[in-house]
């Protein structure tokens, strides 16, 4: 009696075995599919082998069939000639008898059969000659040479055809003279006599024909297999000659894209592949020359900007001193002159601010910007920014709302740079707020701190999220240059965020305002993964619904510092956060 525990474990064991086999088969299939997709040489060789195998297999089948047909036709022709001659001979021998009961008839039949079989009843050629006389009432016994039971190999159809006076043949398989079944070509012919019709049969073994056809088939298949292997090897060699330079070109292109501009391909010979390598090297040389030229131009441009900014400092200081003196005495001037003094003072302020921003950008471009990180509380930093911009907010009629924790928000930051970033973000929000409130939110978690600045102005059009951090870019180019800053604020802010290892991202929708999010690591040098605050504002998720929010983009430096563009957040996430 089987163990119940063993019986109960069998289905689970079978499922586990099936699961393992399925997983192994899936891995093997995945590996083959991966190799098929990645290797041109494997695809070419495989296709060559499959197509050549089909062609060779079809050719072998046709050749073997043709050889078999020829051998069988030759055997039929030979047996038919022998049968015709034998039937004529038997008819002459039986023409002396008019009755089947005559005493010498049976001996004549035996002699005729032996003669037609070759004269030796014990011959070993395998051919069997038989004679029957079913139409004379069973008075003549069937005879064959050699003496065998041949009747099972005569089908009713063949017997009927011969009895009807026709010469007919069939291929039958049976055992006559040997110890195993053999394929026979059975030919039958009627022999007319005065006492009735006699049937003469030849049983010719097809062993030799089958052996010859089998040998021909084997020879053709082996030759075809060798040809297929040769074609596969030839395809592999030819493909390798073509693929190897392509692979070398791909590796060289990868090194070039990685910045190794001195990489070149080896040029061997004068064929098309050599021409490809030479053209590739020429292209790489031209690209290297252009890249170096552009780098030199960029370096000269940055140096020019830095030098001009520094050189303008000295005359600007002198002009500033004279302008301050004129501005201080403007009350004693005529109204038009006093207004000119005020305009001069304002434009000098803008010019000085532009020079300061250009110098800062040149430091970032030259890689000289240094982060002076120290543990600092972001709450007073946010308050200082709001206090500095409160006058501007009052003039344009914008209310600044604060949402900051009551407890300190400590992080390792450069307070000067963070304050500059927030000043740019809040200043832009106030200027573009269309008189509506601007909300500043400060949040933190265990790994990061974040500040969002939300306005309800004109917002950003689709695609402008990609341009908002570009230098000297404005959402509305037609606006007068008196409004807004230098056009470098957000670019400098983005560089400040990158210097901290943080993110500066933007979201916006036409007519629904915009929101900028600054995310910084709580400890200097840590890698950011998430932000404590969401980029898409909660009110935008409620008011827009699924259609609008799903199409918005966020742009900013990703975890690796590269500028990234992607969906701001999915609607289910937005609704879940709004609900919470």
């Amino acid at each position: 009696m089987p163990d119940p525990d063993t019986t109960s474990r069998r289905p689970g064991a079978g499922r586990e075995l099936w699961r393992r086999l399925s997983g192994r088969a899936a891995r093997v299939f995945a590996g083959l599919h991966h190799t098929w997709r990645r290797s041109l040489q494997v695809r070419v060789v495989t296709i060559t082998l499959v197509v050549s195998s089909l062609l060779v297999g079809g050719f072998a089948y046709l050749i073997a069939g043709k050889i078999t047909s020829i051998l069988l036709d030759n055997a039929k022709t030979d047996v038919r000639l022998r049968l015709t001659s034998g039937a004529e001979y038997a008819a002459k021998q039986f023409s002396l008898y008019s009755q089947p009961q005559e005493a010498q008839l049976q001996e004549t039949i035996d002699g005729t059969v032996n003669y037609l079989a070759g004269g030796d009843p014990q011959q070993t050629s395998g051919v069997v000659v038989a004679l029957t006389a079913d139409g004379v009432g069973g008075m003549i016994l069937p005879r064959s040479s050699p003496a065998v039971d041949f009747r099972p190999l005569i089908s009713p159809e063949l017997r009927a055809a011969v009895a009807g006076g026709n010469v007919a043949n069939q291929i039958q398989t049976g055992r006559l003279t040997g110890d195993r079944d053999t394929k026979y070509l059975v030919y039958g012919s009627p022999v007319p006599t005065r006492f009735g019709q006699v049937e003469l049969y030849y049983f010719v073994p097809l062993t030799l024909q089958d052996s010859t056809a089998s040998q021909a088939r084997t020879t053709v298949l082996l030759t075809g297999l060798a040809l297929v292997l040769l074609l596969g090897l030839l395809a592999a060699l030819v493909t390798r000659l073509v693929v190897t330079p392509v692979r070398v070109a791909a590796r060289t292109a990868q090194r070039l894209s990685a910045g190794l501009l001195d990489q070149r391909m080896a040029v061997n010979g004068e064929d098309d592949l050599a021409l490809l390598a030479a053209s590739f090297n020429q292209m790489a040389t031209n690209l290297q020359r252009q890249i170096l030229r552009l780098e030199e131009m960029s370096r000269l441009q940055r140096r020019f900007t830095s030098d001009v900014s520094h050189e303008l400092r000295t005359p600007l200081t002198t002009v500033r001193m004279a302008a301050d003196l004129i501005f201080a005495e403007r009350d004693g001037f005529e109204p038009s002159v006093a207004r000119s003094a005020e305009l001069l003072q304002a434009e000098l302020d803008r010019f000085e601010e532009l020079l300061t921003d250009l110098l800062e950008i040149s430091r970032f471009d030259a890689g000289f910007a240094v982060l002076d990180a120290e543990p600092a509380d972001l709450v007073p930093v946010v308050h200082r920014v709001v206090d500095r911009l409160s006058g501007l907010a009052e003039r344009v009629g914008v209310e600044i709302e604060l949402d900051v924790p009551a407890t300190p928000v400590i992080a390792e930051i450069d307070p000067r740079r963070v304050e500059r970033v927030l000043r740019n973000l809040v200043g832009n929000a106030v200027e573009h707020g269309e008189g509506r409130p601007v909300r500043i939110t400060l949040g933190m978690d265990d790994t990061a701190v974040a500040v969002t600045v939300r306005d309800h102005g004109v917002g950003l059009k689709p695609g402008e999220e990609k341009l908002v951090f570009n230098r000297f870019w404005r959402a509305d180019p037609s606006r007068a240059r008196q409004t807004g800053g230098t056009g470098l604020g957000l670019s400098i802010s983005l560089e400040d965020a990158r210097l901290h290892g943080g993110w500066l991202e933007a979201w916006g929708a036409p007519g629904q305002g915009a929101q900028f999010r600054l995310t910084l690591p709580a400890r200097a040098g840590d890698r950011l993964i998430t932000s404590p605050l969401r980029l898409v504002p909660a009110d935008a998720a409620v008011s827009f619904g699924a259609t609008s929010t799903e199409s918005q983009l966020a742009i900013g430096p990703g975890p690796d510092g590269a500028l990234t563009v992607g969906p701001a957040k999915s609607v289910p996430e937005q609704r879940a956060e709004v609900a919470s």
Side-chain angles (χ1 to χ4, degrees):
M1 184 174 179
D3 186 0
D5 294 338
T6 304
T7 305
S8 63
R9 287 196 298 268
R10 285 176 182 171
R15 286 193 296 269
E16 178 66 19
L17 178 60
W18 174 254
R19 185 183 64 81
R20 291 181 179 178
L21 292 177
S22 300
R24 185 173 302 175
R27 288 192 296 271
V28 171
F29 178 78
L32 293 176
H33 183 260
H34 180 71
T35 303
W36 174 267
R37 287 177 57 87
R38 288 183 59 86
S39 178
L40 176 63
Q41 188 174 11
V42 170
R43 291 201 300 270
V44 172
V45 172
T46 302
I47 293 173
T48 302
L49 289 176
V50 171
V51 174
S52 60
S53 298
L54 293 176
L55 292 176
V56 170
F59 177 74
Y61 176 79
L62 293 176
I63 292 298
K66 190 66 175 177
I67 292 174
T68 302
S69 177
I70 292 174
L71 293 173
L72 184 59
D73 290 342
N74 291 337
K76 287 182 178 180
T77 301
D78 180 65
V79 175
R80 187 178 181 89
L81 292 175
R82 293 178 62 181
L83 181 65
T84 303
S85 176
E88 293 176 354
Y89 177 80
K92 290 180 181 180
Q93 295 295 319
F94 301 151
S95 63
L96 302 175
Y97 303 94
S98 59
Q99 297 295 329
Q101 298 89 351
E102 295 184 30
Q104 300 298 323
L105 178 59
Q106 192 66 45
E107 294 180 3
T108 302
I109 291 175
D110 293 340
T112 301
V113 171
N114 291 332
Y115 175 80
L116 294 179
D120 183 6
Q122 303 300 323
Q123 56 88 20
T124 58
S125 63
V127 179
V128 176
V129 178
L131 192 145
T132 64
D134 295 338
V136 296
M139 296 180 182
I140 300 176
L141 298 177
R143 289 291 186 269
S144 67
S145 180
V148 294
D149 184 12
F150 60 86
R151 287 184 175 272
L153 268 68
I154 301 177
S155 64
E157 295 81 3
L158 179 61
R159 187 183 301 275
V162 176
N166 300 312
V167 177
N169 68 85
Q170 279 187 341
I171 296 178
Q172 298 289 339
T173 301
R175 185 179 302 174
L176 291 179
T177 60
D179 57 353
R180 61 180 181 178
D181 290 344
T182 304
K183 184 186 296 184
Y184 286 90
L185 174 61
V186 183
Y187 244 106
S189 174
V191 179
T193 66
R194 290 190 296 173
F195 54 82
Q197 180 174 284
V198 178
E199 292 86 25
L200 178 64
Y201 292 95
Y202 274 72
F203 299 86
V204 179
L206 298 177
T207 305
L208 179 61
Q209 287 78 5
D210 287 346
S211 176
T212 305
S214 178
Q215 292 177 1
R217 188 182 302 109
T218 302
T219 302
V220 172
L221 287 177
L222 291 178
T223 305
L225 180 60
L227 180 60
V228 168
L229 294 178
L230 182 61
L231 287 175
L233 179 61
L234 182 61
L237 292 177
V238 173
T239 309
R240 182 178 179 83
L241 291 176
V242 177
V243 171
T244 299
V246 175
R247 290 175 178 172
V248 173
R251 289 194 294 268
T252 306
Q254 291 174 352
R255 296 190 186 101
L256 288 173
S257 64
L260 304 176
L261 302 180
D262 58 341
Q263 296 295 309
R264 297 294 184 272
M265 292 180 61
V267 180
N268 298 318
E270 299 178 356
D271 54 8
D272 294 336
L273 294 177
L275 178 61
L276 172 63
S279 301
F280 184 91
N281 292 340
Q282 184 63 36
M283 178 193 67
T285 301
N286 293 336
L287 287 176
Q288 182 182 19
R289 186 182 300 114
Q290 292 295 330
I291 290 174
L292 293 177
R293 177 172 171 271
L294 292 175
E295 287 180 349
E296 180 65 18
M297 291 179 59
S298 178
R299 186 184 64 82
L300 293 176
Q301 184 181 13
R302 291 195 299 268
R303 182 175 178 180
F304 174 77
T305 302
S306 178
D307 292 345
V308 168
S309 301
H310 282 89
E311 292 298 329
L312 287 178
R313 278 292 182 182
T314 301
L316 178 62
T317 303
T318 304
V319 174
R320 164 65 71 181
M321 294 173 59
D324 289 342
L325 181 61
I326 295 174
F327 184 76
E329 301 294 333
R330 69 184 183 282
D331 293 338
F333 299 153
E334 296 181 359
S336 59
V337 178
R339 177 56 180 165
S340 298
E342 293 175 353
L343 292 176
L344 176 63
Q345 186 75 7
E347 291 304 317
L348 281 174
D349 290 339
R350 285 173 52 81
F351 187 40
E352 189 172 12
E353 182 181 356
L354 176 59
L355 282 179
T356 302
D357 289 346
L358 287 174
L359 285 172
E360 190 66 24
I361 282 291
S362 65
R363 292 191 190 98
F364 282 116
D365 291 339
F368 294 153
V370 179
L371 182 69
D372 297 326
E374 61 182 29
D377 184 5
L378 267 73
V379 175
V381 175
V382 173
H383 282 290
R384 284 200 301 270
V385 171
V386 173
D387 292 341
R388 288 194 58 178
L389 295 174
S390 59
L392 175 63
E394 290 178 1
R395 286 197 302 272
V396 297
V398 171
E399 179 184 358
I400 300 179
E401 301 175 352
L402 285 177
D403 182 6
V404 297
T407 57
V409 178
I410 306 298
E412 294 182 7
I413 61 172
D414 186 338
R416 179 183 65 85
R417 295 184 182 277
V418 173
E419 184 174 346
R420 179 168 62 191
V421 173
L422 296 180
R423 189 166 62 249
N424 283 323
L425 297 181
V426 177
N428 287 340
V430 170
E431 289 186 357
H432 300 89
E434 301 292 329
R436 299 174 183 174
V438 171
R439 187 172 186 83
I440 305 173
T441 304
L442 175 62
M444 71 173 299
D445 58 18
D446 294 337
T447 61
V449 295
V451 181
T452 59
V453 180
R454 171 79 164 109
D455 68 73
H456 298 82
V458 296
L460 296 174
K461 299 176 183 178
E464 291 184 346
E465 297 89 347
K466 304 176 183 179
L467 306 173
V468 69
F469 295 103
N470 291 351
R471 299 177 185 181
F472 301 109
W473 182 84
R474 285 175 176 264
D476 186 1
S478 63
R479 296 178 61 183
R481 275 291 177 181
Q482 290 88 327
T483 61
T486 62
L488 296 172
L490 288 179
S491 300
I492 296 175
S493 299
L494 180 60
E495 297 294 342
D496 284 331
R498 287 176 173 174
L499 195 61
H500 281 83
W503 306 336
L504 182 58
E505 302 159 288
W507 169 91
Q512 302 297 331
Q515 177 162 291
F516 288 78
R517 179 178 68 181
L518 173 66
T519 306
L520 303 175
R523 289 174 293 276
D526 287 356
R527 184 182 180 88
L528 287 179
I529 300 176
T530 59
S531 178
L533 300 177
R534 56 180 297 156
L535 177 60
V536 179
D539 56 352
V542 173
S543 60
F544 297 153
T547 303
S548 299
T549 54
E550 285 182 343
S551 64
Q552 305 308 318
L553 295 175
I555 181 169
D560 57 353
L563 199 63
T564 59
V565 181
K569 225 170 200 183
S570 63
V571 174
E573 287 178 308
Q574 297 169 355
R575 291 175 178 168
E577 292 183 16
V578 172
S580 62

